[in-house]
Amino acid sequence: QGTCMMLDAEALPLTRSWCLFEVLQTYRLQEESTNPLFQGLVFCTSNGVIGGSRHGCYDTTVALAERLAVLSVADASASDPRDQAMITALIDREGGAESMNRFIRD
């Protein structure tokens, strides 16, 4: 019970505003959830769940960690400027880009 985000070493979904919208929904659910089984945001690769005991691709995990360290939600984009403005406003209402960056990194 949570959100599984499929990533590669480039973490491209985290540069797309609509994918960040899904992260925002997970952030909201995590803040409101009383369900002890809710896992929040889980990063996955083609080799499995990152941090899981069966995830075997350490190169991808290290590359992803390096990418996440410098990734900024504020740099994400959408093809439609109206979508971009709406998602940015929602993120701002939930604490802003830095708050979302911390959530993604944690």
Side-chain angles (χ1 to χ4, degrees):
Q1 297 184 357
T3 302
C4 170
M5 181 171 281
M6 292 298 296
L7 298 174
D8 61 6
E10 296 297 314
L12 289 179
L14 293 171
T15 66
R16 298 182 183 120
S17 291
W18 276 110
C19 293
L20 291 177
F21 178 78
E22 297 298 327
V23 172
L24 175 64
Q25 298 311 308
T26 304
Y27 175 81
R28 287 177 167 172
L29 286 172
Q30 186 165 308
E31 293 294 311
E32 300 166 1
S33 179
T34 58
N35 181 349
L37 299 177
F38 186 72
Q39 296 181 28
L41 182 62
V42 179
F43 293 127
C44 303
T45 70
S46 59
N47 294 314
V49 177
I50 292 178
S53 61
R54 295 186 181 174
H55 185 267
C57 188
Y58 299 104
D59 292 343
T60 301
T61 302
V62 169
L64 182 57
E66 290 173 351
R67 176 78 168 114
L68 290 176
V70 298
L71 187 93
S72 176
V73 167
D75 296 333
S77 62
S79 57
D80 185 327
R82 293 171 297 182
D83 291 343
Q84 178 69 36
M86 184 264 307
I87 294 166
T88 298
L90 289 171
I91 289 172
D92 287 345
R93 274 189 247 148
E94 293 294 329
E98 282 306 312
S99 178
M100 290 302 298
N101 288 337
R102 282 191 300 278
F103 176 70
I104 290 167
R105 290 182 185 125
D106 291 343

